[in-house]
Amino acid sequence: MNYFTKPLTPPVGHGVRCLVVDDFEAMRRVTINQLRQLGMENIQSAKNGAEALRMLKSQPFDLVLSDWNMPVMSGIELLQAMRADDKLFALPFILITAEAERRKVDEAIAHGVTSLLLKPYAPKQLMARLERVLRAKPRAPGRSVLEDLVEDGTAVAGSPTPANAAAKPQSAAPDEEVRPSILIVDDTPDNLLVLSQLFKGEFRVRLAQTGAKALEFATGDDPPDLVLLDIMMPGMDGFEVARALREHPASQTIPIIFVTAMNSVDARLKGLDLGAVDFITKPIDPDTLKPRVRNFMRYVQLRKDLQTQYDDMVETAQLREDIERITRHDIKAPLAGALGLVQALIEDDSVGHRQVEQLRLAEESVMQVLNMINLSSELYKIETGRFNLRAAPVRIGDLLRRIAQMDRIAFGEKDLSISADTDVTVGNEMPLALGDTTLCYSVFQNLLKNACEAAPAKSKVSIKLLDQTPLQIVIQNTGAVPQSIRERFFDKFVTSGKQGGTGLGTYSAKMLVEAQNGSIGLEVSDAENWTKVSVSLPRAGEASGA
């Protein structure tokens, strides 16, 4: 007899292509059945993350539901691989897990999980998350909230600002806060009446006179938080009910308290072996039963509070992601455009000397803002493993000369000799790096600034581009880095002798260089009193630089 067939809620996922990932076959079947009841017909499954990733790369899906702990490739590893893939980056990902450690939840959020669902969960909780996920409009990597609002018609010309563009989108209402529920199972009506009267003031109470009815309630779309279960019942006894509950993925974690006239040691051990959390003998002592039930309900409420807390954490992270998109695109792109215009005016021979000096100040200001954006948004993504490089040819020679010119002005009072040179043979084309122009600005702006700050007045600071494969850029200044910080020179927050220094300049340079598939190193000579920082960057091919 099938005790687990019960219609769930009206369809909400018609036409959605869904991939269910779980190494436990019974759980895959239950999840697929729940999704079908929600209107999803195109559902496929995978038994681990590696199999799922192969499927995702070979055919289109609209949604992924994955367990956390799996062999070969875990759910979190699958999530990380998807977020690093341009084609899978925006695919909604619901992670289903029994993990409650804050550290692991933080890890999932850092990798861009769309929603977290803690086990045990009811089908209605799954439905609520599906509704939120399916109503949200996915964005391609780098696409801004403002672009989505304009395309949807919710923003009109001149009306949206980054602040209101980042506002939380309208979504499904959060799970309704209702009282915890108890399912009381007993074939004797008087016992059902007595127990229901004990708890109806504190909890929602449901009653079942048979084991089959109890299973219907426990595996339905609104399962109880606790089961009070009699043992001696006709047809299906309490032990059989408990065994069936533990064998079904949807009910296997529901706490069971046996309330029975059986008081033998064997009966108690059998009940505990079937996963019961307590064993109470009749006649019932209300003063004993009520505190025990309250204790377990307190645990249930803590678990629900944890789910709410994690939901809030995911929403906060998604809001931060939206703000980062605004920062990266709606602010950074116009600044990059303004920088290009300023630099074009600087190169225009018709512009007077005084105007050029003012334009260079404007150039420096724009570059400082771009550097701040890179340090606040891109660096965070690099640190959390979520940065995706879109490499393009970079006119590295021009970039180095501009930074050197700005620093000549910025450090004019120190009377430094700042040179920007290249070993490119006269008549040959200047080599191009392969990376991100704004990240390169941040790297060499920080490194050259650091060298100028460390160099004594009236000394030399040089930045040189070596025409090699990969390209080499060497920054050298007079003065040796103190012995005490040399091994930690590129570590976070390491600084020495600079008033107000944050220790982020060289650290950020290292992270941004490595994010562009480059490398960075330090060389110091105490005998000759100099410091060199060497940066290696991939070289763009001839076709790219044409």
Side-chain angles (χ1 to χ4, degrees):
M1 183 175 179
N2 184 3
Y3 299 106
F4 307 121
T5 57
K6 184 179 188 299
L8 298 179
T9 48
V12 296
H14 181 70
V16 174
R17 297 162 296 186
C18 182
L19 178 61
V20 175
V21 191
D22 199 304
D23 62 319
F24 185 26
E25 183 180 357
M27 194 67 212
R28 290 200 302 272
R29 290 201 305 267
V30 169
T31 304
I32 290 171
N33 181 60
Q34 291 174 342
L35 293 173
R36 283 179 176 154
Q37 295 289 345
L38 297 175
M40 293 187 186
E41 299 174 353
N42 192 347
I43 307 170
Q44 297 190 52
S45 65
K47 60 180 178 292
N48 58 61
E51 181 182 352
L53 190 60
R54 288 194 296 270
M55 295 173 67
L56 288 165
K57 290 184 175 182
S58 64
Q59 55 188 300
F61 288 93
D62 302 308
L63 175 69
V64 176
L65 280 85
S66 176
D67 189 31
W68 187 305
N69 293 314
M70 296 180 292
V72 185
M73 176 185 273
S74 68
I76 195 70
E77 290 170 334
L78 172 62
L79 172 63
Q80 188 173 5
M82 288 173 56
R83 294 302 182 243
D85 188 308
D86 285 351
K87 294 182 179 179
L88 304 176
F89 181 90
L91 192 63
F93 193 105
I94 299 178
L95 190 60
I96 301 174
T97 177
E99 299 287 348
E101 291 184 40
R102 175 66 177 264
R103 174 181 58 82
K104 292 189 175 182
V105 172
D106 285 339
E107 181 183 7
I109 291 173
H111 288 304
V113 71
T114 311
S115 185
L116 275 167
L117 188 56
L118 288 179
K119 298 177 183 178
Y121 64 87
K124 66 176 183 179
Q125 292 175 291
L126 175 60
M127 183 185 71
R129 276 151 185 79
L130 287 174
E131 286 180 333
R132 293 173 194 161
V133 168
L134 295 177
R135 286 176 182 174
K137 182 177 180 180
R139 291 188 298 273
R143 184 173 174 87
S144 73
V145 177
L146 187 58
E147 286 180 299
D148 287 337
L149 291 174
V150 172
E151 185 175 299
D152 289 340
T154 50
V156 296
S159 64
T161 63
N164 57 38
K168 186 177 176 179
Q170 201 71 20
S171 62
D175 298 337
E176 182 184 358
E177 290 189 9
V178 294
R179 291 183 298 167
S181 62
I182 297 177
L183 173 61
I184 303 173
V185 188
D186 200 302
D187 62 316
T188 305
D190 287 345
N191 290 339
L192 290 176
L193 179 62
V194 169
L195 289 171
S196 64
Q197 291 296 319
L198 274 178
F199 297 111
K200 70 177 184 179
E202 295 182 67
F203 311 111
R204 290 181 296 131
V205 177
R206 306 185 77 176
L207 306 177
Q209 279 190 270
T210 66
K213 193 66 176 177
L215 292 175
E216 181 182 337
F217 285 147
T219 60
D221 58 356
D222 186 21
D225 297 305
L226 177 68
V227 176
L228 300 182
L229 181 60
D230 187 25
I231 294 178
M232 294 184 292
M233 297 185 296
M236 191 179 197
D237 67 25
F239 290 139
E240 293 178 86
V241 174
R243 185 176 294 107
L245 290 174
R246 290 297 173 255
E247 290 174 352
H248 194 282
S251 59
Q252 63 183 356
T253 58
I254 299 175
I256 299 172
I257 297 178
F258 280 115
V259 182
T260 177
M262 298 180 67
N263 58 9
S264 68
V265 173
D266 288 343
R268 182 182 294 272
L269 291 176
K270 186 174 182 180
L272 295 175
D273 188 55
L274 288 169
V277 295
D278 208 345
F279 199 99
I280 296 175
T281 56
K282 298 176 181 177
I284 297 167
D285 177 8
D287 293 335
T288 301
L289 180 59
K290 291 182 75 172
R292 290 184 176 182
V293 169
R294 286 195 190 105
N295 287 340
F296 286 112
M297 286 304 197
R298 191 173 294 114
Y299 164 78
V300 168
Q301 189 58 48
L302 288 173
R303 191 77 178 182
K304 289 182 177 180
D305 291 344
L306 196 61
Q307 176 72 73
T308 301
Q309 178 186 355
Y310 290 164
D311 287 345
D312 291 342
M313 289 169 62
V314 171
E315 290 182 9
T316 300
Q318 289 170 348
L319 178 59
R320 181 174 60 195
E321 179 92 6
D322 288 343
I323 294 172
E324 286 175 359
R325 282 194 180 96
I326 294 171
T327 301
R328 192 165 57 251
H329 186 276
D330 298 341
I331 297 177
K332 187 174 176 179
L335 281 173
L339 182 62
L341 291 173
V342 169
Q343 291 172 344
L345 288 171
I346 291 174
E347 297 296 328
D348 190 337
D349 294 336
S350 65
V351 178
H353 177 71
R354 179 174 297 179
Q355 285 74 26
V356 168
E357 288 183 353
Q358 293 174 336
L359 286 169
R360 291 200 184 280
L361 291 175
E363 180 186 30
E364 181 182 6
S365 298
V366 173
M367 288 181 62
Q368 286 176 348
V369 175
L370 282 172
N371 185 46
M372 291 170 61
I373 292 173
N374 285 334
L375 294 184
S376 63
S377 61
E378 307 295 5
L379 188 59
Y380 171 76
K381 285 193 170 294
I382 293 169
E383 289 177 322
T384 56
R386 294 161 55 201
F387 176 76
N388 292 305
L389 175 67
R390 288 167 180 79
V394 178
R395 296 184 178 278
I396 195 71
D398 292 344
L399 183 147
L400 297 176
R401 283 195 296 271
R402 293 188 184 281
I403 293 174
Q405 178 60 29
M406 286 191 301
D407 281 345
R408 289 188 192 104
I409 298 171
F411 292 91
E413 292 187 4
K414 291 187 73 172
D415 196 18
L416 297 174
S417 174
I418 303 175
S419 62
D421 303 311
T422 175
D423 67 349
V424 178
T425 305
V426 176
N428 289 350
E429 291 188 6
M430 187 68 66
L432 303 177
L434 185 63
D436 181 286
T437 299
T438 61
L439 295 190
C440 287
Y441 266 121
S442 292
V443 167
F444 295 109
Q445 184 182 21
N446 282 316
L447 290 178
L448 192 57
K449 177 185 176 184
N450 187 73
C452 291
E453 289 176 339
K458 299 183 179 182
S459 64
K460 292 183 179 180
V461 177
S462 66
I463 183 166
K464 188 169 186 177
L465 171 62
L466 304 179
D467 190 9
Q468 302 174 0
T469 302
L471 292 177
Q472 298 289 326
I473 300 95
V474 180
I475 299 172
Q476 180 172 336
N477 64 272
T478 303
V481 170
Q483 182 72 40
S484 60
I485 66 169
R486 290 178 189 176
E487 291 186 2
R488 301 178 294 115
F489 186 70
F490 296 106
D491 289 354
K492 202 171 188 177
F493 306 128
V494 173
T495 184
S496 176
K498 285 194 293 185
Q499 187 174 359
T502 63
L504 289 175
T506 54
Y507 168 76
S508 65
K510 179 177 184 293
M511 299 296 289
L512 296 179
V513 165
E514 292 177 350
Q516 298 177 87
N517 302 311
S519 60
I520 190 169
L522 173 70
E523 184 181 355
V524 181
S525 172
D526 290 313
E528 299 182 25
N529 191 33
W530 51 253
T531 296
K532 287 183 183 178
V533 174
S534 299
V535 175
S536 170
L537 288 175
R539 181 179 185 133
E542 293 299 324
S544 299

